[in-house]
Amino acid sequence: MGKVYLIGAGPGAADLITLRGADLLKRADIVFYDALVQAEMLELAPGAKQVAVGKRCSRISTDQRFTNRNLVEAAAKYDIVVRLKGGDPMLFGRAQEEIEALESAGVAYEIVPGITSALAATAELGVSLTERGVSRSVVFATPRVGEGEDVSDWAPAVARADTAVLYMAIGQAVEIAGILEAQGMPLSTPVVLVENASLPASRHVGSTLRGLKDGAARGLSGPALLLFGDVFRKRAHALIGRELMTGDVPLQAAPR
Ligand code: SAH
């Protein structure tokens, strides 16, 4: 019986995986990887059979139950089975479902953490998520609700946090901005959008909650995060000027 390693691939850049994760990839017999995992990172596992199981919203996806079963079956055949997930496995990565499948099948497993995309985004922006006197709370949330799940009450926590990061939200950004406004978040709240954090195609857009409502997220298509809060004020405003100059994003951010 082999062992299954749930490994965080980090935000995208191939050198932002942990040494432990890279070492396991090198020794892996088989790797099941997500759609957000970059081809470069798979080069770290030259000896492994590589199986794509990822899902990217609205593209072809692999059923989660199928992935769970794959992992259990692979553990019966191989010594080192790697499940490689974007960012950190324990944050919006459906790791719990895989852990439960492995536990109920009696398969040994280990989690290797990774850098979640929110941390790569703030590193790139040069903005700390917390700041003395400005931000003492950080919320990571997603408005996405999977099929068959209960309605989510994500908005109050986001509106109340000093700093908030929304995952899987870019496609519904206009609606999200309306929901947050209804929760009492001021329209002047600084917003930064970060697309493809840590990758060469990385892009930053500065805005406000009002700008988001007016379509600031239009034109972003890669994986992206919405970041809210006063810690982003300076950066958002600097970016607004730049984006308006280059004019490549239809941005109507309101000045404060
Ligand atoms: N476990 C992952 C998140 C998976 S959910 C993590 O810890 O980062 C997928 C969402 O993550 C995407 O919709 C997007 O919001 C975000 N994301 C992943 N990679 C990203 C990147 N390089 N840049 C910006 N956002 C990213």
Side-chain angles (χ1 to χ4, degrees), residues 85-103:
K85 291 169 169 291
D88 183 87
M90 306 303 233
L91 208 50
F92 307 124
R94 304 191 70 171
Q96 206 58 46
E97 290 152 74
E98 292 171 15
I99 289 168
E100 269 153 35
L102 294 169
E103 280 184 353

Side-chain angles (χ1 to χ4, degrees), residues 11 36 86-88 91-93 116-117 167-168 194-197 223-225:
L36 285 178
D88 183 87
L91 208 50
F92 307 124
T116 190
S117 45
Y167 288 68
M168 293 179 274
V194 177
E195 181 183 49
N196 287 315
L225 296 164

